[in-house]
Amino acid sequence: MEVFRLKDFFSYLNQAVIRRLPRTDLEERGFSNNIGSDGDQWRTYLEHASDLIFTLDITGNITWVNQAMVSLLGYSAEKLIGRNLMEVVAPEDVTFLASSFRRIFSGEEIDRLQFEVVSRDNTRTLLEMRGGSFPGSRETIESLFIARDLTERVEIEGRLREINQTFQSLVNGSPLPICILDTQGIVRMWNPAAELAFGWGSQEIIGARLPNIPTEEYEAFSTMFTRMRGGESYYGLDTRLLKRDGTIINVSLSSAPIRDSEENIQSIMVLAEDITQRKRMEQAEREQRLLAEALRDTAVALNSTLEFSELLDKILINISNVVPHDSANIMLVEDGIAYIARIRGFGEKQSNQPEEPLRLVIGDTPNLYQMSVSGQPLIISDVNIYTWWQSSAEQAVIRSYAGAPIRVKGKTVGFLNLESNTPAFYTNLHAERLQTFAEQAALAIENTRLYEEVQKLAVTDHVTEVLNRRGVVELGELELERARRYEHSLSAIMLDLDNFKLVNDAHGHLTGDLVLKGIASRLCSEVRKIDIFGRFGGDEFIIILPEIKLREAKKAAKRLQKSLSEKPIKTEQGEFTITATAGVAQMTKTTKDVKDLIDKADKNMYKAKKLALESLQEEN
């Protein structure tokens, strides 16, 4: 594209396209505010933008494409220019896209037009495109388009739909009436239990304000709702509500704000519990609340601990709040053998680990075998009538049993076993609650096991006793995925020791190893506990910094350089003053993986080393 043509559509890009796109790459680069009419600057921004930018003539032939378009389609720019766009459009999208282009060429602008393109390797990519006709000053650029790859967004939207469906299933399956209100007090969700309790169907109440607030309670509800919008939660607030037939019932309300990723309150969830027969139903209601709390605590444990033994303890502690029992244990499965990993109970005795763990062959143990095959919980009203039941002298007091399999991806990895000293103690309700809890435990166990497997891969460097390259990459990949999932920052620092070869040449590699170990110890004392630090190879060290942006990472790099240079490393062979050159990089949307992030930091380190060398030569 000629320079004068780039100048000509500046105003169009700024007013007709860029301002209509939600934070495009061009906006993030300051495209519309910082660029004047200089053609070279325009060319640089257009060619290297991550958004796909291209122009078409009135026949639909491509007249110019940027590098992002070339990379996506797999053809060179020379192969694409002059080619009709419809040749790379999915066949099923050609007709409606051609119709859209006819509207564009007649002067209309398009907004969020979606279609698929087919790359050279037959990969299909869904794009969202905007653009319109643009008249140039010396010749006509018939149309200009900016497009974005929607693949990642579609995947994210799909996951969000799954999460939303799961949330709706939990709400709709709740035995307690639940409604979700927006910040204006409009009902957005009304579950079947609420329909049954109050008489209004979801179709007639969603989109309206709550109709079941008595006049005399309205002021108190208004004050309470204002405080809810401010972030307050309510638990067990006794009040009164109307049913559709005019009956007033006593209820206990609980509420909690639902926040978005930026901690802004989007809506408020309210649970209502009928307490008219409170005394008679007190125990049942207490168990319901404890179930919700225990499940919540298990979810918190899933996110708060990756220590397997700690997780098992939390599971046993929480299960006591869900299903009553005299003793409980968690069995884990290895090669068809179930063994007790954690146990609580048996009178006054409590133990995290039995002295001689009971080991059972699943195929030879009917209760475990049945749960393993069916995937369902099991209740035994009286263990004394089962001749195959195995118990120690200490367990002789056990009379009834409830168990549930812990399953991960359709495979039984363990069992939750509860025992009571009372015959016929457990009911189907207990079994359902135990199964729900076992499902939560399965998620937590799988998460911690995956984490421990990664930890085993993160072996240490034999010289410095810090992580080696493999360890840094494995743990760094987890941090990068976490940063992407929660849209947090992640940076990396590559430190290269200056002229370290002279130490080895002058004093030998054994002394060099001692110096490296001292350097690693020094750097370890300077980095945070959450940082991932290791020896990347030779005289290079790498630090992965979660939750740190580029500016803070540069400050950290300077602090580490200063820590090395200001105080010598002491060894038996003497003291060594060491300096280092640093390269810093930050994860972006285009960062492929942690190796890519490290590679960028490494390249920046070599740039810094080159600049330092050139500066030294100039001084000399």
Side-chain angles (χ1 to χ4, degrees):
M1 183 177 291
E2 299 299 329
V3 170
F4 73 86
R5 296 176 69 185
L6 290 170
K7 296 177 183 178
D8 289 339
F9 61 75
F10 166 71
S11 177
Y12 173 73
L13 279 171
N14 185 40
Q15 299 177 14
V17 178
I18 296 175
R19 64 183 175 81
R20 296 168 62 88
L21 288 171
R23 296 300 299 171
T24 65
D25 180 66
L26 301 179
E27 275 189 308
E28 293 169 0
R29 293 171 178 263
F31 187 80
S32 59
N33 297 323
N34 302 327
I35 300 302
S37 59
D38 182 78
D40 290 337
Q41 288 179 302
W42 278 101
R43 183 184 300 278
T44 299
Y45 274 89
L46 289 170
E47 289 183 348
H48 297 287
S50 62
D51 295 307
L52 283 66
I53 305 176
F54 57 96
T55 60
L56 304 178
D57 63 20
I58 199 168
T59 65
N61 290 333
I62 300 171
T63 57
W64 181 84
V65 295
N66 73 343
Q67 187 57 43
M69 188 77 169
V70 169
S71 299
L72 178 71
L73 294 177
Y75 300 99
S76 65
E78 292 76 12
K79 293 288 186 181
L80 289 172
I81 293 175
R83 189 173 182 177
N84 195 282
L85 180 67
M86 298 304 171
E87 296 179 27
V88 295
V89 172
E92 60 270 20
D93 291 339
V94 168
T95 301
F96 93 88
L97 191 60
S99 174
S100 299
F101 282 154
R102 284 195 292 272
R103 290 165 37 216
I104 293 168
F105 296 141
S106 67
E108 292 186 35
E109 290 183 10
I110 62 171
D111 185 33
R112 297 182 182 275
L113 181 64
Q114 294 186 7
F115 63 95
E116 284 189 335
V117 293
V118 182
S119 61
R120 188 175 183 178
D121 62 0
N122 289 323
T123 300
R124 287 182 172 235
T125 304
L126 180 65
L127 301 182
E128 180 179 81
M129 184 179 72
R130 298 178 180 181
S133 300
F134 174 74
S137 59
R138 292 175 54 184
E139 61 180 277
T140 299
I141 300 173
E142 286 76 10
S143 55
L144 168 71
F145 301 94
I146 298 180
R148 175 165 291 177
D149 184 351
L150 294 184
T151 304
E152 183 177 358
R153 193 178 88 183
V154 170
E155 291 177 355
I156 292 174
E157 288 175 350
R159 291 196 293 271
L160 288 176
R161 282 194 298 271
E162 291 178 2
I163 293 171
N164 186 52
Q165 289 171 357
T166 301
F167 175 73
Q168 289 184 344
S169 297
L170 290 173
V171 172
N172 289 334
S174 171
L176 295 178
I178 297 178
C179 73
I180 294 180
L181 308 173
D182 64 18
T183 55
Q184 302 303 313
I186 304 301
V187 178
R188 296 305 179 193
M189 185 176 291
W190 185 257
N191 76 340
E195 293 183 4
L196 182 63
F198 299 107
W200 284 279
S202 59
Q203 292 182 346
E204 56 186 324
I205 201 169
I206 290 177
R209 295 186 182 278
L210 286 173
N212 57 341
I213 302 175
T215 304
E216 62 273 18
E217 300 285 352
Y218 186 80
E219 184 176 350
F221 267 87
S222 179
T223 301
M224 182 177 66
F225 185 73
T226 300
R227 297 175 69 175
M228 288 179 185
R229 289 194 302 180
E232 288 193 34
S233 297
Y234 286 87
Y235 298 97
L237 177 65
D238 292 355
T239 186
R240 301 188 304 163
L241 289 177
L242 282 170
K243 296 179 67 173
R244 187 168 187 170
D245 61 6
T247 304
I248 294 180
I249 60 173
N250 295 313
V251 296
S252 176
L253 293 183
S254 299
S255 71
I258 299 175
R259 303 175 185 269
D260 61 18
S261 59
E262 297 179 354
E263 291 299 310
N264 297 316
I265 296 175
Q266 297 295 303
S267 54
I268 298 164
M269 182 168 65
V270 181
L271 294 84
E273 182 180 5
D274 185 351
I275 57 173
T276 306
Q277 305 295 331
R278 188 169 190 167
K279 290 184 178 180
R280 186 172 61 87
M281 299 297 297
E282 186 174 4
Q283 182 60 32
E285 292 168 1
R286 176 177 176 276
E287 290 179 2
Q288 289 286 354
R289 288 194 297 271
L290 290 175
L291 173 62
E293 291 171 4
L295 293 178
R296 180 197 64 197
D297 289 345
T298 303
V300 170
L302 179 62
N303 295 315
S304 66
T305 180
L306 289 172
E307 292 294 332
F308 193 65
S309 59
E310 180 183 352
L311 177 65
L312 295 181
D313 289 335
K314 285 189 175 184
I315 290 173
L316 282 188
I317 291 171
N318 288 335
I319 193 62
S320 64
N321 295 327
V322 178
V323 183
H325 56 269
D326 293 308
S327 61
N329 68 69
I330 299 175
M331 281 186 162
L332 298 180
V333 176
E334 288 184 1
D335 300 325
I337 304 295
Y339 65 93
I340 296 178
R342 278 295 185 279
I343 189 169
R344 287 172 64 89
F346 300 117
E348 297 300 320
K349 180 180 178 180
Q350 292 189 357
S351 171
N352 285 334
Q353 188 72 31
E355 295 179 1
E356 297 182 2
L358 180 65
R359 303 179 67 88
L360 300 173
V361 177
I362 295 177
D364 296 337
T365 312
N367 60 322
L368 301 184
Y369 179 76
Q370 181 176 333
M371 290 188 290
S372 178
V373 172
S374 68
Q376 298 299 315
L378 174 67
I379 292 175
I380 299 177
S381 297
D382 191 342
V383 300
N384 287 348
I385 67 175
Y386 290 89
T387 56
W388 48 263
W389 181 264
Q390 300 182 32
S391 62
S392 63
E394 188 180 40
Q395 296 173 304
V397 294
I398 295 173
R399 293 298 304 276
S400 56
Y401 165 89
I406 301 173
R407 296 172 66 84
V408 175
K409 298 178 181 178
K411 180 181 178 181
T412 299
V413 299
F415 300 93
L416 267 177
N417 301 303
L418 305 182
E419 294 147 338
S420 172
N421 300 341
T422 304
F425 180 80
Y426 292 110
T427 66
N428 289 333
L429 179 60
H430 290 136
E432 292 173 4
R433 292 177 179 176
L434 184 60
Q435 181 62 36
T436 301
F437 198 89
E439 291 170 0
Q440 290 277 12
L443 290 174
I445 288 172
E446 176 66 3
N447 197 38
T448 53
R449 280 186 167 175
L450 289 175
Y451 179 78
E452 289 185 349
E453 288 177 9
V454 172
Q455 289 291 80
K456 292 177 182 178
L457 294 176
V459 296
T460 57
D461 176 63
H462 71 284
V463 173
T464 61
E465 298 181 359
V466 297
L467 292 175
N468 62 12
R469 178 184 301 209
R470 183 181 182 183
V472 170
V473 170
E474 292 288 348
L475 292 180
E477 199 64 52
L478 290 176
E479 285 298 337
L480 186 138
E481 290 301 321
R482 185 179 291 112
R484 278 180 176 161
R485 186 180 305 117
Y486 298 107
E487 298 182 356
H488 291 177
S489 301
L490 185 70
S491 298
I493 300 173
M494 178 69 77
L495 283 175
D496 181 82
L497 306 181
D498 298 327
N499 300 316
F500 189 76
K501 183 175 182 297
L502 299 179
V503 176
N504 287 327
D505 291 345
H507 302 278
H509 286 281
L510 291 178
T511 299
D513 287 349
L514 292 175
V515 176
L516 284 174
K517 189 172 182 178
I519 292 170
S521 177
R522 178 80 54 82
L523 294 176
C524 269
S525 67
E526 295 289 338
V527 301
R528 303 172 302 167
K529 289 184 179 181
I530 65 171
D531 294 335
I532 300 171
F533 168 68
R535 182 185 178 193
F536 203 66
D539 54 4
E540 290 183 329
F541 292 87
I542 185 74
I543 306 100
I544 306 294
L545 303 102
E547 310 292 342
I548 293 295
K549 296 183 179 179
L550 186 63
R551 179 180 297 178
E552 289 77 12
K554 289 180 179 178
K555 292 180 181 178
K558 290 181 179 179
R559 187 180 71 252
L560 295 174
Q561 289 174 297
K562 185 178 179 181
S563 175
L564 288 177
S565 62
E566 288 189 342
K567 186 177 180 181
I569 302 297
K570 296 181 180 180
T571 71
E572 295 178 356
Q573 305 301 321
E575 297 183 350
F576 296 85
T577 299
I578 303 296
T579 61
T581 303
V584 182
Q586 179 180 348
M587 182 189 74
T588 66
K589 292 181 180 179
T590 60
T591 302
K592 298 177 182 177
D593 49 31
V594 76
K595 291 182 180 178
D596 188 19
L597 177 64
I598 293 172
D599 184 59
K600 290 177 182 176
D602 192 44
K603 289 178 179 177
N604 290 336
M605 181 272 294
Y606 278 107
K607 289 180 182 178
K609 193 175 282 289
K610 182 179 179 182
L611 288 174
L613 179 61
E614 292 174 351
S615 176
L616 180 63
Q617 290 173 345
E618 289 178 4
E619 290 178 5
N620 294 336

